[in-house]
Amino acid sequence: MSDMDLTPRSGSDDDADISSKKKKKRNLVPMVVLALVLVGGGVIITQGLNNAVDYFCNVDEVGSRDGCEEGRRIRLQGTVEAGTINGSVPGVTAFKMAFGEAEIDVEYDGIPGGIFKECIPVVVHGEIRNGVLHGDLVEVKHSNEYVAVNDENLAAAEEFADAECPAVTA
């Protein structure tokens, strides 16, 4: 057999202090990392939610209502003023929009489609910089009136639908 002493030792006080300090350091580091991750995640989520909100404003509320100021993304409602649509810059449509007594210059990145024209209500999504709304989306409000160009075609289609799809009775 060997001369090795296998009896349990009662460690000195210095050994106990060193091992407890190591345990405290090991437990503190993950908690600090977790706290930093949680704070960072909270900041990112808060910024993301603030940037995701597009305030809806009328042209006359710019600069006078909270959320309708320069430097933030908004949806701005107004009417395209007569004689102001200018497409001389390739890929950009410029026009003036008014609501109430106020007006604003708009530069839309693109060519608005659909029924965009003068004297109709629009909502432009974008950001105001140096007094100009730089838009990336134009929504056009259409009237509530529907005028069928081909009433006879519509009537024929309805008759066909009635003949092909009789009402289901319960």
Side-chain angles (χ1 to χ4, degrees):
M1 280 221 186
S2 85
D3 292 332
M4 191 184 292
D5 182 15
L6 297 176
T7 58
R9 292 186 230 168
S10 61
S12 68
D13 290 337
D14 291 336
D15 289 343
D17 287 342
I18 291 172
S19 66
S20 68
K21 285 181 183 178
K22 284 183 181 178
K23 285 183 182 177
K24 285 182 183 176
K25 282 185 180 179
R26 271 190 256 142
N27 290 338
L28 186 61
V29 171
M31 294 181 93
V32 169
V33 169
L34 179 62
L36 290 174
V37 167
L38 289 175
V39 169
V43 168
I44 290 171
I45 289 172
T46 302
Q47 289 297 318
L49 290 176
N50 284 339
N51 292 336
V53 174
D54 286 354
Y55 284 91
F56 186 87
C57 308
N58 295 321
V59 173
D60 62 349
E61 296 173 327
V62 172
S64 63
R65 188 177 125 201
D66 189 34
C68 299
E69 60 270 348
E70 285 200 24
R72 76 172 307 136
R73 186 154 177 83
I74 62 172
R75 293 179 293 156
L76 196 60
Q77 172 181 269
T79 301
V80 178
E81 289 194 333
T84 64
I85 298 175
N86 181 352
S88 62
V89 177
V92 175
T93 303
F95 57 94
K96 282 189 185 282
M97 201 166 64
F99 190 93
E101 298 296 316
E103 66 179 32
I104 190 167
D105 290 322
V106 178
E107 290 182 0
Y108 171 66
D109 186 21
I111 301 170
I115 58 173
F116 178 82
K117 60 183 179 181
E118 298 174 341
C119 303
I120 61 167
V122 296
V123 174
V124 179
H125 297 238
E127 183 179 333
I128 300 173
R129 294 188 304 265
N130 299 322
V132 177
L133 177 61
H134 296 272
D136 54 25
L137 177 65
V138 174
E139 296 179 48
V140 177
K141 182 182 186 306
H142 59 82
S143 69
N144 293 333
E145 296 178 24
Y146 175 75
V147 179
V149 175
N150 299 313
D151 282 335
E152 63 279 352
N153 290 347
L154 183 59
E158 287 175 351
E159 286 175 20
F160 178 76
D162 288 342
E164 293 295 314
C165 307
V168 177
T169 57

